[in-house]
Amino acid sequence: MPLEIVTIPCRSDNYAFLLREPTTGEIGLIDAPEAAPIRAALKQRGWELHKIFVTHHHDDHIAGVEELSDSFGAQVIGAQADTHRLPPLDHAVAEGETVRLGDETGHVIDVSGHTVGHIAFHFPDSGAVFTADSLMALGCGRVFEGTPEMMWGSLSKLKALPRETIVCSGHEYTQSNAKFALTIEPENSDLISRAEAVAAARAEGRATVPSSLAEELATNPFLRADLPEVKSLLGMADQPDAAVFAEIRRRKDNF
Ligand code: ZN
Ligand code: FE
């Protein structure tokens, strides 16, 4: 049985996710931007908290980790590479290793670029990947610590997951991402209709996260840097994929 996934808005535009593994009732959390809304979501459902999975070291993803792990006795799992700048970890992991939530296995994917040491958690049996500030709805994280080549490599790993995978990313940036995406591919009909749906959802205060990998592949310009039609729109027909990605990222940084 698939994980039950609850999306929890935090701070101004962050998302945390609660996961309940139905066979064992074990509860996990992806990122802790702040404790209060996560505590409220747990209380409302009568849930405890057993494991906290951390994606990367930025404060808007870890600020609530220690408070929640202390009050629930939850284990904290995060990247081996970032032990020096994450809250104390009970379990340090690296790419290729697995994590457990009850009967479910999650696979750790290194998605460095936004930070070096950013990881994603992929739960194949539930068809869900938790990407935080790597792959985002209609966008990707700004490349702060890594290189565009590194970020493109990370996105390429996520691109290769099954198309039906649900992408649970870390921020509600989708509407502004859509405006930018339309500057790259103004005639992409899937993008035009998604941008309209996103605007309608936001007008009603609804979340646009999670999304599906299939819709990201069809509309997210950062995942489409390897496509001949996108390269030629940018006048980069003979350029390598990573260079085209870097140009799209550069334009977004200045958007
Ligand atoms: Zn971040
Ligand atoms: Fe963030």
PDB file of all heavy atoms in Angstrom, residues 13 15 27 38 89 111 128 137 139 153 187 190 196 201 233 250:
ATOM      1  N   ASP A  13       6.544  30.332   2.026  1.00  0.00           N
ATOM      2  CA  ASP A  13       6.317  29.595   0.779  1.00  0.00           C
ATOM      3  C   ASP A  13       6.967  28.216   0.778  1.00  0.00           C
ATOM      4  O   ASP A  13       7.199  27.656  -0.290  1.00  0.00           O
ATOM      5  CB  ASP A  13       6.807  30.419  -0.420  1.00  0.00           C
ATOM      6  CG  ASP A  13       8.258  30.855  -0.262  1.00  0.00           C
ATOM      7  OD1 ASP A  13       9.060  30.092   0.310  1.00  0.00           O
ATOM      8  OD2 ASP A  13       8.597  31.969  -0.698  1.00  0.00           O
ATOM      9  N   TYR A  15       7.224  24.036   1.744  1.00  0.00           N
ATOM     10  CA  TYR A  15       6.405  22.859   2.021  1.00  0.00           C
ATOM     11  C   TYR A  15       7.221  21.812   2.759  1.00  0.00           C
ATOM     12  O   TYR A  15       8.369  21.531   2.405  1.00  0.00           O
ATOM     13  CB  TYR A  15       5.877  22.233   0.728  1.00  0.00           C
ATOM     14  CG  TYR A  15       4.816  23.051   0.052  1.00  0.00           C
ATOM     15  CD1 TYR A  15       5.013  23.552  -1.230  1.00  0.00           C
ATOM     16  CD2 TYR A  15       3.615  23.328   0.692  1.00  0.00           C
ATOM     17  CE1 TYR A  15       4.035  24.322  -1.857  1.00  0.00           C
ATOM     18  CE2 TYR A  15       2.633  24.100   0.079  1.00  0.00           C
ATOM     19  CZ  TYR A  15       2.848  24.588  -1.194  1.00  0.00           C
ATOM     20  OH  TYR A  15       1.887  25.345  -1.808  1.00  0.00           O
ATOM     21  N   ILE A  27       5.542   7.047  10.957  1.00  0.00           N
ATOM     22  CA  ILE A  27       5.358   8.391  10.395  1.00  0.00           C
ATOM     23  C   ILE A  27       6.726   9.015  10.139  1.00  0.00           C
ATOM     24  O   ILE A  27       7.597   9.032  11.016  1.00  0.00           O
ATOM     25  CB  ILE A  27       4.598   9.313  11.376  1.00  0.00           C
ATOM     26  CG1 ILE A  27       3.301   8.668  11.883  1.00  0.00           C
ATOM     27  CG2 ILE A  27       4.329  10.671  10.723  1.00  0.00           C
ATOM     28  CD1 ILE A  27       2.239   8.461  10.848  1.00  0.00           C
ATOM     29  N   ILE A  38       3.810  21.733  11.593  1.00  0.00           N
ATOM     30  CA  ILE A  38       4.013  20.281  11.515  1.00  0.00           C
ATOM     31  C   ILE A  38       3.431  19.621  12.763  1.00  0.00           C
ATOM     32  O   ILE A  38       2.715  18.619  12.691  1.00  0.00           O
ATOM     33  CB  ILE A  38       5.504  19.969  11.332  1.00  0.00           C
ATOM     34  CG1 ILE A  38       5.977  20.519   9.979  1.00  0.00           C
ATOM     35  CG2 ILE A  38       5.784  18.470  11.461  1.00  0.00           C
ATOM     36  CD1 ILE A  38       7.464  20.639   9.818  1.00  0.00           C
ATOM     37  N   LEU A  89      22.684  14.142  13.346  1.00  0.00           N
ATOM     38  CA  LEU A  89      22.013  13.066  12.611  1.00  0.00           C
ATOM     39  C   LEU A  89      22.117  11.751  13.388  1.00  0.00           C
ATOM     40  O   LEU A  89      23.159  11.450  13.956  1.00  0.00           O
ATOM     41  CB  LEU A  89      22.656  12.872  11.231  1.00  0.00           C
ATOM     42  CG  LEU A  89      22.627  14.058  10.272  1.00  0.00           C
ATOM     43  CD1 LEU A  89      23.327  13.694   8.956  1.00  0.00           C
ATOM     44  CD2 LEU A  89      21.192  14.518  10.001  1.00  0.00           C
ATOM     45  N   VAL A 111      21.493  15.093  -5.354  1.00  0.00           N
ATOM     46  CA  VAL A 111      21.005  16.099  -6.318  1.00  0.00           C
ATOM     47  C   VAL A 111      21.715  17.430  -6.092  1.00  0.00           C
ATOM     48  O   VAL A 111      21.108  18.499  -6.109  1.00  0.00           O
ATOM     49  CB  VAL A 111      19.466  16.248  -6.267  1.00  0.00           C
ATOM     50  CG1 VAL A 111      18.794  14.997  -6.835  1.00  0.00           C
ATOM     51  CG2 VAL A 111      18.956  16.511  -4.847  1.00  0.00           C
ATOM     52  N   ALA A 128       6.850   8.190  -5.449  1.00  0.00           N
ATOM     53  CA  ALA A 128       6.999   9.584  -5.005  1.00  0.00           C
ATOM     54  C   ALA A 128       8.473   9.897  -4.803  1.00  0.00           C
ATOM     55  O   ALA A 128       9.237   9.056  -4.319  1.00  0.00           O
ATOM     56  CB  ALA A 128       6.236   9.820  -3.705  1.00  0.00           C
ATOM     57  N   ALA A 137       8.454  22.515  -8.993  1.00  0.00           N
ATOM     58  CA  ALA A 137       7.346  22.606  -9.935  1.00  0.00           C
ATOM     59  C   ALA A 137       7.640  23.736 -10.922  1.00  0.00           C
ATOM     60  O   ALA A 137       7.760  24.900 -10.532  1.00  0.00           O
ATOM     61  CB  ALA A 137       6.042  22.851  -9.197  1.00  0.00           C
ATOM     62  N   GLY A 139      10.286  24.547 -12.204  1.00  0.00           N
ATOM     63  CA  GLY A 139      11.557  25.228 -11.999  1.00  0.00           C
ATOM     64  C   GLY A 139      12.600  24.321 -11.392  1.00  0.00           C
ATOM     65  O   GLY A 139      12.466  23.088 -11.384  1.00  0.00           O
ATOM     66  N   GLY A 153      23.303  17.428 -14.125  1.00  0.00           N
ATOM     67  CA  GLY A 153      23.482  16.006 -13.832  1.00  0.00           C
ATOM     68  C   GLY A 153      22.465  15.519 -12.804  1.00  0.00           C
ATOM     69  O   GLY A 153      21.910  14.413 -12.937  1.00  0.00           O
ATOM     70  N   GLU A 187       5.203  28.993 -27.013  1.00  0.00           N
ATOM     71  CA  GLU A 187       4.175  28.283 -27.779  1.00  0.00           C
ATOM     72  C   GLU A 187       3.989  26.836 -27.347  1.00  0.00           C
ATOM     73  O   GLU A 187       3.320  26.058 -28.040  1.00  0.00           O
ATOM     74  CB  GLU A 187       4.504  28.379 -29.273  1.00  0.00           C
ATOM     75  CG  GLU A 187       4.198  29.780 -29.775  1.00  0.00           C
ATOM     76  CD  GLU A 187       4.762  30.066 -31.150  1.00  0.00           C
ATOM     77  OE1 GLU A 187       5.014  29.118 -31.907  1.00  0.00           O
ATOM     78  OE2 GLU A 187       4.960  31.260 -31.439  1.00  0.00           O
ATOM     79  N   ASP A 190       1.229  22.616 -23.716  1.00  0.00           N
ATOM     80  CA  ASP A 190       1.113  22.027 -22.372  1.00  0.00           C
ATOM     81  C   ASP A 190       1.475  23.057 -21.298  1.00  0.00           C
ATOM     82  O   ASP A 190       0.852  23.122 -20.236  1.00  0.00           O
ATOM     83  CB  ASP A 190       2.053  20.813 -22.224  1.00  0.00           C
ATOM     84  CG  ASP A 190       1.614  19.644 -23.078  1.00  0.00           C
ATOM     85  OD1 ASP A 190       0.388  19.463 -23.258  1.00  0.00           O
ATOM     86  OD2 ASP A 190       2.496  18.916 -23.583  1.00  0.00           O
ATOM     87  N   GLU A 196      -2.125  28.377 -16.906  1.00  0.00           N
ATOM     88  CA  GLU A 196      -3.493  28.815 -16.592  1.00  0.00           C
ATOM     89  C   GLU A 196      -4.028  28.081 -15.365  1.00  0.00           C
ATOM     90  O   GLU A 196      -4.640  28.678 -14.476  1.00  0.00           O
ATOM     91  CB  GLU A 196      -4.414  28.568 -17.796  1.00  0.00           C
ATOM     92  CG  GLU A 196      -4.162  29.568 -18.923  1.00  0.00           C
ATOM     93  CD  GLU A 196      -4.831  29.150 -20.248  1.00  0.00           C
ATOM     94  OE1 GLU A 196      -5.504  28.091 -20.279  1.00  0.00           O
ATOM     95  OE2 GLU A 196      -4.654  29.897 -21.232  1.00  0.00           O
ATOM     96  N   ALA A 201      -5.328  27.915  -9.563  1.00  0.00           N
ATOM     97  CA  ALA A 201      -5.125  27.294  -8.251  1.00  0.00           C
ATOM     98  C   ALA A 201      -4.668  28.326  -7.229  1.00  0.00           C
ATOM     99  O   ALA A 201      -5.173  28.382  -6.101  1.00  0.00           O
ATOM    100  CB  ALA A 201      -4.095  26.168  -8.354  1.00  0.00           C
ATOM    101  N   LEU A 233      15.212  27.273 -30.026  1.00  0.00           N
ATOM    102  CA  LEU A 233      14.556  28.510 -29.569  1.00  0.00           C
ATOM    103  C   LEU A 233      15.574  29.460 -28.917  1.00  0.00           C
ATOM    104  O   LEU A 233      15.422  30.679 -28.977  1.00  0.00           O
ATOM    105  CB  LEU A 233      13.463  28.187 -28.543  1.00  0.00           C
ATOM    106  CG  LEU A 233      12.122  27.681 -29.103  1.00  0.00           C
ATOM    107  CD1 LEU A 233      11.248  27.158 -27.975  1.00  0.00           C
ATOM    108  CD2 LEU A 233      11.409  28.785 -29.869  1.00  0.00           C
ATOM    109  N   ARG A 250      20.731  30.995 -16.077  1.00  0.00           N
ATOM    110  CA  ARG A 250      21.231  32.373 -16.045  1.00  0.00           C
ATOM    111  C   ARG A 250      20.086  33.364 -16.322  1.00  0.00           C
ATOM    112  O   ARG A 250      19.936  34.381 -15.647  1.00  0.00           O
ATOM    113  CB  ARG A 250      22.341  32.548 -17.086  1.00  0.00           C
ATOM    114  CG  ARG A 250      23.114  33.859 -17.006  1.00  0.00           C
ATOM    115  CD  ARG A 250      24.013  34.078 -18.211  1.00  0.00           C
ATOM    116  NE  ARG A 250      23.252  34.206 -19.463  1.00  0.00           N
ATOM    117  CZ  ARG A 250      22.566  35.297 -19.829  1.00  0.00           C
ATOM    118  NH1 ARG A 250      22.575  36.366 -19.042  1.00  0.00           N
ATOM    119  NH2 ARG A 250      21.905  35.316 -20.955  1.00  0.00           N
TER     120      ARG A 250
END
